[in-house]
């Protein structure tokens, strides 16, 4: 497997995002299926695994931890705090809460360590910047966790270039994670370049556009009731039908994948790998077959002409619908196109 770097860690150029083994896209797969995907990733050379306290309100960490425990010396284990499920109301129902206060981050990290069954998390992200808490205060807590040997490196998720620079002034940030794909190119406004300048790895989540770019999701009406894509404007039926034309028209994405001699999913990931040596995609999947397909993207080489045509096809103005609805957009600090 091609290697890249996150801070002090050499990692596989394509990692595994573990979220959808427990969270977000309707009913998650059975635990044994999730363990099979994790084991297949290990067998095929993946050394970067990404989870979070939020995913399944701890269930994902409990799934991932035991499978990876015997391999800790050869993998980079990543998790996130600052956005967790907290009990609310008399019934104790868990609700997503963004809380970047130092005491909360220390609590979150301790809980993640227990669920993962490890003494240290290699890369620990602030999952969301809590805009009620100065980033410097949240970073201070992460630095203390590092000094205590609880984490080895610090990451940020879904923040803008100015917030990254403020955080990096407190302590070097090893990685910034945000959504990045051909149909979500907000990172190109500023933060991708800021990462390059500061020596920060850029970890791209949803690199195949939450199932859009592979072209297998044709009817968004079939999405499960609790699938998070139902609340995303790009997946509204009218917008989605327009977006599908980018895949299907003559000279569109499907034709370009055929020209490149790979699948659309592989073309999506190969394009990301071509955006810079500091870019590391972390596709998620519940399928061992799809995992193998995704990892095959590391062997795909794209020439400058094909890269230019992909760039032109997926200009931000060509995408219909916003990345997040208004409520979710208010929770992140990423730059947006005018």
């Amino acid at each position: 497997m091609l290697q890249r770097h996150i801070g002090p860690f050499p990692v596989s150029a394509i990692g595994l995002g573990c979220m959808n083994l427990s969270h977000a896209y309707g009913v998650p797969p059975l635990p044994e299926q999730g363990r099979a995907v994790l084991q297949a990733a290990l067998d095929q050379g993946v050394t970067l695994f990404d989870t979070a306290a939020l995913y399944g309100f701890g269930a994902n960490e409990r799934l991932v931890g035991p499978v990876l425990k015997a391999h800790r010396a050869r993998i980079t284990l990543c998790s996130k705090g600052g956005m967790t499920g907290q009990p609310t109301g008399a019934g104790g129902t868990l609700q997503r809460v963004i809380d970047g206060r130092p005491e909360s981050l220390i609590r979150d990290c301790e809980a993640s360590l227990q669920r993962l069954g490890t003494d240290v998390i290699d890369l620990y992200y602030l999952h969301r910047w809590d805009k009620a808490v100065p980033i410097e205060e949240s970073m201070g807590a992460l630095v203390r966790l590092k000094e205590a040997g609880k984490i080895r490196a610090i990451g940020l998720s879904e923040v803008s270039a100015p917030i990254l620079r403020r955080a990096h002034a407190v302590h070097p940030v090893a990685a910034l994670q945000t959504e990045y794909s051909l149909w979500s190119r907000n990172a190109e406004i500023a933060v991708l370049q800021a990462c390059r300048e500061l020596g920060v790895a850029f970890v791209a989540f949803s690199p195949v556009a939450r199932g859009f770019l592979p072209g297998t999701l044709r009817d968004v009406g079939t999405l499960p009731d609790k699938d998070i894509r139902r609340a995303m404007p790009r997946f509204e039926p009218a917008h989605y039908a327009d977006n599908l034309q980018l895949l299907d028209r003559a000279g569109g994405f499907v034709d370009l994948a055929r020209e490149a001699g790979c699948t659309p999913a592989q073309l999506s990931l190969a394009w990301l790998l071509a955006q810079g040596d500091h870019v590391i995609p972390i596709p998620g999947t519940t399928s061992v077959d799809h995992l193998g397909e995704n990892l095959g993207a590391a062997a795909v080489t794209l020439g400058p002409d094909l890269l230019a045509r992909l760039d032109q096809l997926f200009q931000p103005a060509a995408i219909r619908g916003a990345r997040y609805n208004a409520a979710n957009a208010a929770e992140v600090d990423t730059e947006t196109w005018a």
Side-chain angles (χ1 to χ4, degrees):
M1 173 67 71
L2 182 70
Q3 298 287 298
R4 293 196 168 174
H5 281 82
I6 295 179
F9 310 115
V11 299
S12 53
I14 300 174
L16 181 67
C18 300
M19 179 181 77
N20 55 356
L21 299 178
S22 308
H23 185 83
Y25 297 117
V27 178
L30 294 173
E32 52 264 37
Q33 183 178 344
R35 288 190 287 267
V37 170
L38 292 165
Q39 187 59 55
L42 289 164
D43 294 342
Q44 295 181 58
V46 174
T47 60
L48 178 64
F49 292 84
D50 185 274
T51 182
L54 177 71
Y55 302 160
F57 295 150
N60 197 246
E61 290 178 321
R62 287 190 290 269
L63 172 70
V64 167
V67 178
L68 301 183
K69 189 170 185 177
H71 308 274
R72 286 292 288 112
R74 68 179 181 93
I75 68 162
T76 298
L77 177 62
C78 313
S79 193
K80 311 178 194 71
M83 183 164 67
T84 60
Q86 296 297 323
T88 58
T93 302
L94 294 178
Q95 181 176 333
R96 186 182 66 174
V97 174
I98 296 174
D99 185 351
R101 293 174 298 167
E103 61 270 25
S104 299
L105 294 178
I106 291 169
R107 174 205 66 201
D108 292 350
C109 183
E110 293 288 356
S112 288
L113 288 167
Q114 291 184 19
R115 287 189 293 263
L116 289 165
T118 187
D119 295 328
V120 61
I121 296 168
D122 298 315
L123 174 59
Y124 193 64
Y125 291 92
L126 179 66
H127 203 158
R128 290 289 187 274
W129 173 41
D130 180 350
K131 297 175 184 178
V133 180
I135 190 64
E136 292 80 2
E137 291 186 18
S138 296
M139 281 294 294
L142 298 175
V143 172
R144 291 195 292 277
L145 286 167
K146 184 181 177 186
E147 291 172 345
K150 305 289 186 180
I151 66 175
R152 292 193 172 110
I154 296 170
L156 300 175
S157 179
E158 293 275 53
V159 300
S160 62
I163 293 300
L164 170 62
R165 293 183 188 280
R166 282 172 53 187
H168 197 75
V170 175
H171 184 282
V173 175
L176 184 148
Q177 180 174 144
T178 197
E179 184 174 356
Y180 187 33
S181 71
L182 277 162
W183 90 329
S184 293
R185 298 176 64 179
N186 303 54
E188 295 174 6
I189 298 172
V191 79
L192 191 64
Q193 179 60 30
C195 285
R196 185 180 290 110
E197 292 172 6
L198 297 172
V200 176
F202 185 96
V203 177
F205 75 77
S206 297
V208 296
R210 304 183 189 272
F212 166 69
L213 287 170
T216 52
L217 176 61
R218 311 303 298 186
D219 181 5
V220 291
T222 65
L223 293 175
D225 290 341
K226 293 185 178 181
D227 192 305
I228 61 172
R229 290 172 290 186
R230 284 191 169 272
M232 294 177 174
R234 287 183 184 177
F235 288 89
E236 293 174 3
H239 286 154
Y240 198 76
D242 286 343
N243 288 324
L244 282 175
Q245 297 307 306
L246 297 170
L247 308 185
D248 298 337
R249 72 191 190 200
F253 192 62
V254 172
D255 284 352
L256 293 179
R258 188 178 301 112
E259 180 179 332
C262 64
T263 69
Q266 289 171 337
L267 182 57
S268 308
L269 295 167
W271 177 84
L272 277 168
L273 292 172
Q275 301 312 302
D277 290 341
H278 66 311
V279 177
I280 303 167
I282 52 167
T285 183
T286 61
S287 162
V288 171
D289 288 342
H290 288 165
L291 170 71
E293 177 187 352
N294 290 340
L295 298 180
V300 176
T301 301
L302 304 179
D305 177 68
L306 185 55
L307 287 169
R309 282 185 282 160
L310 286 167
D311 179 75
Q312 184 59 39
L313 179 63
F314 285 97
Q315 285 294 304
I319 311 302
R320 299 292 178 259
R323 182 164 78 98
Y324 286 137
N325 62 27
N328 292 136
E331 295 178 343
V332 301
D333 179 57
T334 50
E335 291 90 353
T336 58
W337 298 103

